[in-house]
PDB file of all heavy atoms in Angstrom:
ATOM      1  N   LEU A  24     178.120  70.338  85.356  1.00  0.00           N
ATOM      2  CA  LEU A  24     177.002  69.425  85.060  1.00  0.00           C
ATOM      3  C   LEU A  24     175.670  70.197  85.173  1.00  0.00           C
ATOM      4  O   LEU A  24     174.717  69.937  84.378  1.00  0.00           O
ATOM      5  CB  LEU A  24     177.024  68.263  86.114  1.00  0.00           C
ATOM      6  CG  LEU A  24     178.143  67.264  85.852  1.00  0.00           C
ATOM      7  CD1 LEU A  24     178.310  66.308  87.085  1.00  0.00           C
ATOM      8  CD2 LEU A  24     177.887  66.404  84.631  1.00  0.00           C
ATOM      9  N   LEU A  28     172.356  70.211  82.401  1.00  0.00           N
ATOM     10  CA  LEU A  28     171.209  69.406  82.816  1.00  0.00           C
ATOM     11  C   LEU A  28     170.049  70.284  83.362  1.00  0.00           C
ATOM     12  O   LEU A  28     170.269  71.403  83.782  1.00  0.00           O
ATOM     13  CB  LEU A  28     171.662  68.426  83.861  1.00  0.00           C
ATOM     14  CG  LEU A  28     172.515  67.275  83.357  1.00  0.00           C
ATOM     15  CD1 LEU A  28     173.147  66.491  84.522  1.00  0.00           C
ATOM     16  CD2 LEU A  28     171.777  66.369  82.456  1.00  0.00           C
ATOM     17  N   LYS A  31     166.807  69.958  88.342  1.00  0.00           N
ATOM     18  CA  LYS A  31     166.804  68.887  89.332  1.00  0.00           C
ATOM     19  C   LYS A  31     167.570  67.668  88.720  1.00  0.00           C
ATOM     20  O   LYS A  31     167.325  66.539  89.215  1.00  0.00           O
ATOM     21  CB  LYS A  31     165.372  68.482  89.654  1.00  0.00           C
ATOM     22  CG  LYS A  31     164.608  69.572  90.431  1.00  0.00           C
ATOM     23  CD  LYS A  31     163.240  69.094  90.880  1.00  0.00           C
ATOM     24  CE  LYS A  31     162.524  70.191  91.659  1.00  0.00           C
ATOM     25  NZ  LYS A  31     161.201  69.747  92.138  1.00  0.00           N
ATOM     26  N   GLY A  32     168.430  67.901  87.775  1.00  0.00           N
ATOM     27  CA  GLY A  32     169.155  66.844  87.110  1.00  0.00           C
ATOM     28  C   GLY A  32     170.485  66.443  87.785  1.00  0.00           C
ATOM     29  O   GLY A  32     171.160  65.551  87.343  1.00  0.00           O
ATOM     30  N   VAL A  33     170.859  67.182  88.859  1.00  0.00           N
ATOM     31  CA  VAL A  33     172.081  66.884  89.600  1.00  0.00           C
ATOM     32  C   VAL A  33     171.693  66.706  91.082  1.00  0.00           C
ATOM     33  O   VAL A  33     171.018  67.475  91.709  1.00  0.00           O
ATOM     34  CB  VAL A  33     173.058  68.024  89.516  1.00  0.00           C
ATOM     35  CG1 VAL A  33     174.392  67.687  90.274  1.00  0.00           C
ATOM     36  CG2 VAL A  33     173.481  68.237  88.009  1.00  0.00           C
ATOM     37  N   VAL A  34     172.168  65.538  91.619  1.00  0.00           N
ATOM     38  CA  VAL A  34     171.958  65.189  93.047  1.00  0.00           C
ATOM     39  C   VAL A  34     173.278  65.360  93.717  1.00  0.00           C
ATOM     40  O   VAL A  34     174.256  64.690  93.379  1.00  0.00           O
ATOM     41  CB  VAL A  34     171.446  63.799  93.225  1.00  0.00           C
ATOM     42  CG1 VAL A  34     171.228  63.485  94.734  1.00  0.00           C
ATOM     43  CG2 VAL A  34     170.089  63.629  92.505  1.00  0.00           C
ATOM     44  N   ALA A  35     173.375  66.277  94.747  1.00  0.00           N
ATOM     45  CA  ALA A  35     174.590  66.529  95.446  1.00  0.00           C
ATOM     46  C   ALA A  35     174.457  66.518  96.963  1.00  0.00           C
ATOM     47  O   ALA A  35     175.459  66.434  97.662  1.00  0.00           O
ATOM     48  CB  ALA A  35     175.182  67.834  94.961  1.00  0.00           C
ATOM     49  N   GLU A  39     170.596  62.801 100.100  1.00  0.00           N
ATOM     50  CA  GLU A  39     170.018  62.279  98.918  1.00  0.00           C
ATOM     51  C   GLU A  39     170.920  61.227  98.155  1.00  0.00           C
ATOM     52  O   GLU A  39     170.452  60.295  97.544  1.00  0.00           O
ATOM     53  CB  GLU A  39     169.625  63.398  97.939  1.00  0.00           C
ATOM     54  CG  GLU A  39     168.588  64.345  98.449  1.00  0.00           C
ATOM     55  CD  GLU A  39     168.315  65.490  97.558  1.00  0.00           C
ATOM     56  OE1 GLU A  39     169.096  65.715  96.598  1.00  0.00           O
ATOM     57  OE2 GLU A  39     167.317  66.193  97.722  1.00  0.00           O
ATOM     58  N   LEU A  40     172.213  61.452  98.345  1.00  0.00           N
ATOM     59  CA  LEU A  40     173.185  60.536  97.762  1.00  0.00           C
ATOM     60  C   LEU A  40     173.144  59.154  98.428  1.00  0.00           C
ATOM     61  O   LEU A  40     173.574  58.185  97.806  1.00  0.00           O
ATOM     62  CB  LEU A  40     174.582  61.088  97.815  1.00  0.00           C
ATOM     63  CG  LEU A  40     174.869  62.367  96.955  1.00  0.00           C
ATOM     64  CD1 LEU A  40     176.226  62.941  97.261  1.00  0.00           C
ATOM     65  CD2 LEU A  40     174.728  61.975  95.479  1.00  0.00           C
ATOM     66  N   TYR A  43     171.906  56.093  96.649  1.00  0.00           N
ATOM     67  CA  TYR A  43     172.666  55.493  95.570  1.00  0.00           C
ATOM     68  C   TYR A  43     173.946  54.832  96.055  1.00  0.00           C
ATOM     69  O   TYR A  43     174.790  54.567  95.327  1.00  0.00           O
ATOM     70  CB  TYR A  43     173.046  56.628  94.585  1.00  0.00           C
ATOM     71  CG  TYR A  43     171.862  57.302  93.959  1.00  0.00           C
ATOM     72  CD1 TYR A  43     171.319  58.419  94.511  1.00  0.00           C
ATOM     73  CD2 TYR A  43     171.300  56.892  92.746  1.00  0.00           C
ATOM     74  CE1 TYR A  43     170.222  59.100  93.952  1.00  0.00           C
ATOM     75  CE2 TYR A  43     170.221  57.478  92.175  1.00  0.00           C
ATOM     76  CZ  TYR A  43     169.685  58.657  92.773  1.00  0.00           C
ATOM     77  OH  TYR A  43     168.599  59.289  92.254  1.00  0.00           O
ATOM     78  N   PRO A  55     178.331  57.828  96.340  1.00  0.00           N
ATOM     79  CA  PRO A  55     179.020  58.530  95.247  1.00  0.00           C
ATOM     80  C   PRO A  55     179.146  59.938  95.548  1.00  0.00           C
ATOM     81  O   PRO A  55     178.428  60.568  96.393  1.00  0.00           O
ATOM     82  CB  PRO A  55     178.055  58.315  94.046  1.00  0.00           C
ATOM     83  CG  PRO A  55     176.687  58.178  94.758  1.00  0.00           C
ATOM     84  CD  PRO A  55     176.937  57.482  96.068  1.00  0.00           C
ATOM     85  N   PRO A  56     180.133  60.691  94.862  1.00  0.00           N
ATOM     86  CA  PRO A  56     180.272  62.095  95.089  1.00  0.00           C
ATOM     87  C   PRO A  56     179.167  62.916  94.471  1.00  0.00           C
ATOM     88  O   PRO A  56     178.785  63.976  94.974  1.00  0.00           O
ATOM     89  CB  PRO A  56     181.631  62.399  94.447  1.00  0.00           C
ATOM     90  CG  PRO A  56     181.864  61.269  93.456  1.00  0.00           C
ATOM     91  CD  PRO A  56     181.139  60.112  93.999  1.00  0.00           C
ATOM     92  N   LEU A  57     178.587  62.435  93.347  1.00  0.00           N
ATOM     93  CA  LEU A  57     177.578  63.152  92.634  1.00  0.00           C
ATOM     94  C   LEU A  57     176.788  62.107  91.839  1.00  0.00           C
ATOM     95  O   LEU A  57     177.248  61.111  91.418  1.00  0.00           O
ATOM     96  CB  LEU A  57     178.146  64.189  91.631  1.00  0.00           C
ATOM     97  CG  LEU A  57     178.691  65.548  92.113  1.00  0.00           C
ATOM     98  CD1 LEU A  57     179.301  66.300  90.973  1.00  0.00           C
ATOM     99  CD2 LEU A  57     177.608  66.335  92.796  1.00  0.00           C
ATOM    100  N   VAL A  58     175.502  62.480  91.572  1.00  0.00           N
ATOM    101  CA  VAL A  58     174.600  61.712  90.775  1.00  0.00           C
ATOM    102  C   VAL A  58     173.901  62.598  89.793  1.00  0.00           C
ATOM    103  O   VAL A  58     173.488  63.746  90.180  1.00  0.00           O
ATOM    104  CB  VAL A  58     173.499  60.929  91.607  1.00  0.00           C
ATOM    105  CG1 VAL A  58     172.513  60.211  90.678  1.00  0.00           C
ATOM    106  CG2 VAL A  58     174.164  59.948  92.564  1.00  0.00           C
ATOM    107  N   VAL A  59     173.845  62.207  88.555  1.00  0.00           N
ATOM    108  CA  VAL A  59     173.109  62.987  87.506  1.00  0.00           C
ATOM    109  C   VAL A  59     172.019  62.202  86.942  1.00  0.00           C
ATOM    110  O   VAL A  59     172.065  60.951  86.866  1.00  0.00           O
ATOM    111  CB  VAL A  59     174.056  63.497  86.408  1.00  0.00           C
ATOM    112  CG1 VAL A  59     175.066  64.529  86.963  1.00  0.00           C
ATOM    113  CG2 VAL A  59     174.825  62.340  85.780  1.00  0.00           C
ATOM    114  N   LEU A  60     170.903  62.931  86.522  1.00  0.00           N
ATOM    115  CA  LEU A  60     169.768  62.304  86.048  1.00  0.00           C
ATOM    116  C   LEU A  60     169.368  62.820  84.585  1.00  0.00           C
ATOM    117  O   LEU A  60     168.510  63.643  84.467  1.00  0.00           O
ATOM    118  CB  LEU A  60     168.606  62.556  86.963  1.00  0.00           C
ATOM    119  CG  LEU A  60     168.781  62.026  88.367  1.00  0.00           C
ATOM    120  CD1 LEU A  60     167.874  62.698  89.340  1.00  0.00           C
ATOM    121  CD2 LEU A  60     168.527  60.518  88.430  1.00  0.00           C
ATOM    122  N   PRO A  61     170.067  62.373  83.631  1.00  0.00           N
ATOM    123  CA  PRO A  61     169.797  62.821  82.205  1.00  0.00           C
ATOM    124  C   PRO A  61     168.452  62.338  81.738  1.00  0.00           C
ATOM    125  O   PRO A  61     167.910  61.311  82.260  1.00  0.00           O
ATOM    126  CB  PRO A  61     170.925  62.285  81.411  1.00  0.00           C
ATOM    127  CG  PRO A  61     171.331  61.053  82.142  1.00  0.00           C
ATOM    128  CD  PRO A  61     171.133  61.324  83.557  1.00  0.00           C
ATOM    129  N   ARG A  84     173.580  53.644  86.012  1.00  0.00           N
ATOM    130  CA  ARG A  84     172.764  53.010  87.023  1.00  0.00           C
ATOM    131  C   ARG A  84     171.317  53.022  86.505  1.00  0.00           C
ATOM    132  O   ARG A  84     170.801  54.084  86.107  1.00  0.00           O
ATOM    133  CB  ARG A  84     172.865  53.660  88.396  1.00  0.00           C
ATOM    134  CG  ARG A  84     171.945  53.061  89.471  1.00  0.00           C
ATOM    135  CD  ARG A  84     171.969  53.961  90.740  1.00  0.00           C
ATOM    136  NE  ARG A  84     171.092  53.485  91.725  1.00  0.00           N
ATOM    137  CZ  ARG A  84     171.455  52.710  92.763  1.00  0.00           C
ATOM    138  NH1 ARG A  84     172.708  52.377  92.895  1.00  0.00           N
ATOM    139  NH2 ARG A  84     170.529  52.354  93.646  1.00  0.00           N
ATOM    140  N   ALA A 100     183.200  57.374  91.644  1.00  0.00           N
ATOM    141  CA  ALA A 100     182.777  57.670  90.233  1.00  0.00           C
ATOM    142  C   ALA A 100     181.458  58.469  90.260  1.00  0.00           C
ATOM    143  O   ALA A 100     180.632  58.402  91.170  1.00  0.00           O
ATOM    144  CB  ALA A 100     182.585  56.383  89.476  1.00  0.00           C
ATOM    145  N   LEU A 101     181.287  59.234  89.192  1.00  0.00           N
ATOM    146  CA  LEU A 101     180.079  59.958  88.947  1.00  0.00           C
ATOM    147  C   LEU A 101     178.976  58.916  88.585  1.00  0.00           C
ATOM    148  O   LEU A 101     179.236  58.070  87.674  1.00  0.00           O
ATOM    149  CB  LEU A 101     180.203  60.933  87.814  1.00  0.00           C
ATOM    150  CG  LEU A 101     178.932  61.628  87.278  1.00  0.00           C
ATOM    151  CD1 LEU A 101     178.420  62.608  88.367  1.00  0.00           C
ATOM    152  CD2 LEU A 101     179.210  62.324  85.966  1.00  0.00           C
ATOM    153  N   VAL A 102     177.822  58.933  89.201  1.00  0.00           N
ATOM    154  CA  VAL A 102     176.730  58.062  88.862  1.00  0.00           C
ATOM    155  C   VAL A 102     175.787  58.689  87.928  1.00  0.00           C
ATOM    156  O   VAL A 102     175.267  59.779  88.148  1.00  0.00           O
ATOM    157  CB  VAL A 102     175.941  57.542  90.153  1.00  0.00           C
ATOM    158  CG1 VAL A 102     174.700  56.773  89.755  1.00  0.00           C
ATOM    159  CG2 VAL A 102     176.864  56.708  91.037  1.00  0.00           C
ATOM    160  N   ILE A 103     175.591  58.039  86.734  1.00  0.00           N
ATOM    161  CA  ILE A 103     174.686  58.513  85.735  1.00  0.00           C
ATOM    162  C   ILE A 103     173.398  57.602  85.778  1.00  0.00           C
ATOM    163  O   ILE A 103     173.450  56.511  85.257  1.00  0.00           O
ATOM    164  CB  ILE A 103     175.300  58.469  84.374  1.00  0.00           C
ATOM    165  CG1 ILE A 103     176.614  59.337  84.332  1.00  0.00           C
ATOM    166  CG2 ILE A 103     174.334  58.986  83.278  1.00  0.00           C
ATOM    167  CD1 ILE A 103     177.375  59.202  83.065  1.00  0.00           C
ATOM    168  N   ALA A 104     172.435  58.064  86.443  1.00  0.00           N
ATOM    169  CA  ALA A 104     171.171  57.310  86.667  1.00  0.00           C
ATOM    170  C   ALA A 104     170.195  57.570  85.465  1.00  0.00           C
ATOM    171  O   ALA A 104     169.909  58.710  85.194  1.00  0.00           O
ATOM    172  CB  ALA A 104     170.534  57.700  87.986  1.00  0.00           C
TER     173      ALA A 104
END
Side-chain angles (χ1 to χ4, degrees):
L24 289 165
L28 289 169
K31 294 184 179 180
V33 179
V34 178
E39 295 176 346
L40 292 171
Y43 300 90
L57 284 175
V58 174
V59 290
L60 299 160
R84 178 188 176 97
L101 172 71
V102 171
I103 302 172

